[in-house]
Amino acid sequence: MILVTGGLGFIGSHTVRALLDLGEDCVVVQRRASELPAVLDGARVAVERADITDRDALLAIGRRHRITGIVHLAGSFPWPPVPEEPVEATRQALGGLLNVVEAAQEWGVRRLGVASTIGVYFGAGGDGPLREDAPLAMSAAVSIPTFKKVGELLGGFLADATGVDIVNYRISGTWGPLGHPDPFFAAPALIHAAARGTVPDLSHLMGPAFAEDGLDLSYVKDTGRAIALLQLAGRLNHRTYNVGSGRATTNAQIVEAIRGVVPGARVGLPAGGGGPHMVLDIGRLQEDTGYRAEYDTERAVSDYIGWLRAGNER
């Protein structure tokens, strides 16, 4: 049985769905009571309400279920980015990660996977797709990549010290059903506007959006399946894996795909952008798990618009 922290969230629920489809039983840990999301309708999933920062509550789950692996997707970083009590928020974030590692050690799990982010590569420099062995900058402008870098360093130390197989997932920009507006890319907002027949609200973005802006975007169903394959692989040759599409998707490509589904969609963006696009090299993921993306841009756009038009809010 695989335990998934944050397993009723955006990426978590799709990861659970992929694990179930691959024949695994799952138990999800969620801090707040919540119904199963629509992607898990009809699924047999054990739900444990617990906060991973509560060590005793987390460890007790292992007495109720036989946990063989852990996928840690719950946030291990302070939120909001500048919390009112930064020291305590940092203590909670790192404490949650340490509790999960302790649980993995106590339960004797085969593998612990920990979510990281494409954001760790900001400032890494270099040309071409970003490889896992690229040198990383020591600083970061926002909290999430800062804490993910710290988590990767701690994970490496603890893997060596405890013998637990700890694997990092550097996850690219992910979008699709159950997602929220993302501050770094426009695709979700464009899709929602097309499905609702409105003009997209892009006020949440960190900067203006242009047609040729691009990023390695992965449809969440592909992201969840990649994580599931990494968790279940018999042998992994590395400690860190990029999880993405391996290609840049521009806003112009998203808009074109949207208009193939909704011809009158008012989702045009001004020309411009087109600076360096962050793209992940996913060779390790493909070689060690056989992963191949199932959703190109056109299929992903059609699927997501269909999901929203079926009455789902996000």
Side-chain angles (χ1 to χ4, degrees):
M1 176 174 278
I2 308 299
L3 180 142
V4 183
T5 71
L8 299 185
F10 174 38
I11 294 177
S13 60
H14 289 276
T15 300
V16 170
R17 178 74 270 168
L19 287 165
L20 294 172
D21 290 345
L22 290 168
E24 285 293 325
D25 294 326
C26 293
V27 54
V28 301
V29 179
Q30 201 72 17
R31 183 172 56 183
R32 298 183 180 89
S34 177
E35 297 181 355
L36 289 181
V39 297
L40 295 176
D41 277 351
R44 295 183 60 185
V45 179
V47 179
E48 292 280 355
R49 184 179 178 185
D51 191 324
I52 61 170
T53 64
D54 184 337
R55 172 183 175 275
D56 292 339
L58 179 63
L59 293 178
I61 295 172
R63 295 193 287 272
R64 295 190 289 272
H65 305 276
R66 185 175 178 274
I67 307 299
T68 58
I70 301 175
V71 175
H72 180 35
L73 300 176
S76 294
F77 48 85
W79 192 260
V82 184
E84 292 182 4
E85 300 181 4
V87 174
E88 181 57 29
T90 299
R91 181 179 291 113
Q92 293 287 314
L94 296 182
L97 174 61
L98 295 175
N99 288 343
V100 171
V101 175
E102 182 177 358
Q105 184 181 27
E106 180 171 306
W107 301 338
V109 306
R110 191 174 71 88
R111 179 172 296 140
L112 163 60
V114 181
S116 186
T117 173
I118 189 175
V120 301
Y121 291 111
F122 288 136
D127 298 323
L130 297 159
R131 291 171 48 91
E132 293 91 340
D133 56 5
L136 303 182
M138 290 295 293
S139 61
V142 293
S143 65
I144 295 176
T146 297
F147 278 80
K148 294 304 185 183
K149 291 179 185 180
V150 170
E152 288 190 16
L153 286 170
L154 281 176
F157 163 74
L158 291 168
D160 291 336
T162 65
V164 175
D165 181 15
I166 300 178
V167 178
N168 304 306
Y169 317 132
R170 291 180 179 169
I171 301 172
S172 69
T174 300
W175 62 297
L178 303 180
H180 295 278
D182 193 286
F184 300 108
F185 55 93
L190 297 175
I191 295 292
H192 277 257
R196 295 168 180 165
T198 61
V199 174
D201 178 4
L202 303 178
S203 61
H204 63 285
L205 293 177
M206 295 188 69
F210 296 98
E212 296 308 318
D213 290 336
L215 180 69
D216 188 316
L217 294 184
S218 176
Y219 198 54
V220 68
K221 294 181 180 182
D222 280 334
T223 300
R225 189 166 54 84
I227 292 171
L229 290 172
L230 284 167
Q231 175 61 36
L232 300 181
R235 181 176 183 272
L236 294 177
N237 295 306
H238 306 279
R239 186 168 282 170
T240 300
Y241 288 82
N242 289 332
V243 175
S245 66
R247 67 181 189 277
T249 300
T250 66
N251 288 333
Q253 290 170 322
I254 296 287
V255 168
E256 182 181 2
I258 286 172
R259 287 177 173 159
V261 180
V262 186
R266 295 174 290 168
V267 292
L269 291 174
H277 298 154
M278 294 184 73
V279 177
L280 297 178
D281 183 314
I282 59 171
R284 285 185 181 181
L285 172 65
Q286 293 174 325
E287 290 165 11
D288 286 3
T289 71
Y291 170 81
R292 295 292 184 275
E294 294 183 351
Y295 288 82
D296 59 16
T297 303
E298 290 73 22
R299 185 182 181 196
V301 165
S302 177
D303 186 77
Y304 197 5
I305 290 176
W307 164 269
L308 294 170
R309 284 182 163 179
N312 299 292
E313 294 184 0
R314 57 186 179 89

